[in-house]
Amino acid sequence: MKFCDRLKELRKNSTFTQKELANNLGISVTAYQYYEAGKNQPSIENLIKLADMFNVTLDYLTGRID
């Protein structure tokens, strides 16, 4: 599974909105939407923050493991 698909799946299975996640990352909602659309990739700092927010490993978040 690609990162963008995994990210979207994790968000939909959580209580987070795109706006909340963007605020927690310190980015715009549009920038976050680009992550989910596969148009942009987050920095390693934001990858770590996302993994922590969803309580998953970086390998899982990035689609390296199921």
Side-chain angles (χ1 to χ4, degrees), residues 2 16 21 31-32 34 37 39 43 57 59-60:
K2 295 190 302 185
F16 291 115
L21 289 166
Y32 179 82
Y34 280 9
K39 294 180 180 180
S43 65
T57 65
D59 282 341
Y60 182 81

Side-chain angles (χ1 to χ4, degrees), residues 1 10-11 19 25 27-28 36 49-51 54 63 65:
M1 181 178 278
L10 285 167
R11 179 183 55 80
K19 184 177 182 177
L25 296 173
I27 60 175
S28 68
E36 286 193 4
K49 287 179 185 179
L50 285 165
F54 290 119
I65 62 171

Side-chain angles (χ1 to χ4, degrees), residues 31-60:
Y32 179 82
Q33 289 169 337
Y34 280 9
Y35 293 169
E36 286 193 4
K39 294 180 180 180
N40 201 358
Q41 297 293 314
S43 65
I44 188 67
E45 179 182 275
N46 281 346
L47 276 174
I48 292 168
K49 287 179 185 179
L50 285 165
D52 288 346
M53 284 187 269
F54 290 119
N55 197 32
V56 298
T57 65
L58 286 172
D59 282 341
Y60 182 81

